[in-house]
Amino acid sequence: MQDVGDGAKNNNLLGIDEQGPKVYELGYLLVPTISDENLPVVYGNLKELVLSFGGEIVSDEIPKMIPLAYFMQKVTSNVRNKFNKAYFGWTKFTMNSLKILELKKHLDLDANFIRFLILKTVKENTIAVKRFMRGESYKRPILKRSTENENIMPINKEEIDKEIDALVSI
Amino acid sequence: MKQDYFSANNIKYIDYKDIEILKKFMNPNGKIMSHKRTGVTAKNQRQLTRAIKHARFLGLLPFVVK
């Protein structure tokens, strides 16, 4: 019993909480040498890896080729590789806090990754840019339509009929 | 006094992937602006700094612009 208590204390000191699953986000950069055909395979393997550790995927984005803001290097089998572009992707998932360390150890050994970042996050969508773009574009046309409708209302039907008749007669 | 950008736009969580928003709070050399210039609350300034540093680590933003 005492051992269990000490273990729990040690875990608390290390910042590990033995409560339920938490929401994490894994952002990663894959090496650009992966071909377009193999990319879905690598992406699928990553998803399977998360699921194998008892994770549940909340949302994710397929890796896309992006230019990097600076050169990154990675040493694989005593060869230094420099990259100025990479596949960037992210996955949001729920996982037990103890399992996340095992996942990190596993990803450390993966040769396809240049870098990765595991963060605590929230379940809700956190990307804000797209939300604003939609909000502004949706509001403006509605205002224009309402003003147009007000202008149309006072037009008399008889006047319109007369105008049409005049046009037809010509 | 300048209003907090994030509370004005109802952003509760500052994401490191929102690089267009993060760029607004960096100077032309790529340095993070101080809270005096940004007018952001202390809590959001801490979140903002963390998000920029995460984005830099993953190569989405530069450490230095020469």
Side-chain angles (χ1 to χ4, degrees):
Chain A
M1 287 297 281
Q2 205 173 3
D3 287 338
V4 174
D6 287 345
K9 267 184 189 175
N10 288 336
N11 283 343
N12 285 336
L13 288 171
L14 291 167
I16 301 165
D17 201 353
E18 285 185 30
Q19 289 173 353
K22 288 177 181 172
V23 184
Y24 293 97
E25 185 176 328
L26 169 69
Y28 53 89
L29 291 172
L30 297 172
V31 288
T33 49
I34 300 168
S35 64
D36 289 343
E37 296 156 3
N38 284 334
L39 190 64
V41 178
V42 175
Y43 173 62
N45 287 344
L46 177 67
K47 269 185 159 184
E48 277 178 21
L49 187 71
V50 170
L51 294 172
S52 70
F53 283 104
E56 201 173 300
I57 291 166
V58 177
S59 59
D60 60 351
E61 197 175 87
I62 300 164
K64 282 177 192 166
M65 184 71 88
I66 59 155
L68 297 174
Y70 54 93
F71 277 95
M72 285 185 190
Q73 61 180 31
K74 195 195 179 188
V75 179
T76 43
S77 60
N78 292 334
V79 180
R80 190 188 294 166
N81 298 307
K82 270 194 167 186
F83 305 105
N84 64 350
K85 57 183 181 175
Y87 290 104
F88 171 71
W90 58 270
T91 314
K92 209 182 265 190
F93 56 91
T94 55
M95 192 178 273
N96 198 310
S97 51
L98 293 171
K99 292 272 182 184
I100 202 84
L101 287 171
E102 290 177 36
L103 177 71
K104 187 192 169 292
K105 281 174 192 168
H106 216 277
L107 293 174
D108 277 329
L109 303 170
D110 200 324
N112 286 324
F113 286 85
I114 301 173
R115 283 182 186 180
F116 65 89
L117 188 65
I118 299 171
L119 299 170
K120 270 189 209 169
T121 185
V122 288
K123 263 193 176 179
E124 292 78 28
N125 182 22
T126 50
I127 299 172
V129 174
K130 286 171 189 171
R131 274 201 322 241
F132 295 134
M133 295 298 280
R134 277 180 201 163
E136 283 170 11
S137 63
Y138 281 149
K139 279 177 187 173
R140 282 174 188 166
I142 291 163
L143 286 168
K144 279 178 185 174
R145 278 175 198 166
S146 64
T147 52
E148 282 170 7
N149 288 335
E150 282 170 9
N151 293 332
I152 292 161
M153 284 300 286
I155 294 169
N156 200 346
K157 281 185 179 178
E158 290 174 10
E159 284 177 15
I160 294 164
D161 288 338
K162 281 177 186 176
E163 280 177 17
I164 290 164
D165 288 336
L167 287 166
V168 170
S169 62
I170 291 164
Chain B
M1 194 174 163
K2 200 178 173 185
Q3 207 190 353
D4 179 12
Y5 176 87
F6 298 102
S7 45
N9 289 306
N10 198 23
I11 299 172
K12 286 171 188 166
Y13 186 92
I14 303 172
D15 200 318
Y16 72 95
K17 298 188 292 293
D18 277 333
I19 51 172
E20 291 308 317
I21 290 177
L22 300 181
K23 274 179 188 172
K24 289 178 186 172
F25 300 98
M26 294 172 81
N27 76 3
N29 289 322
K31 292 173 90 176
I32 304 169
M33 285 184 194
S34 73
H35 78 282
K36 281 183 184 176
R37 281 187 68 83
T38 57
V40 167
T41 60
K43 187 184 175 183
N44 282 338
Q45 182 75 20
R46 289 196 296 273
Q47 271 199 52
L48 172 71
T49 308
R50 203 181 305 144
I52 291 174
K53 287 177 180 179
H54 287 153
R56 280 176 179 168
F57 174 77
L58 283 175
L60 306 177
L61 289 174
F63 281 91
V64 182
V65 182
K66 286 175 186 172

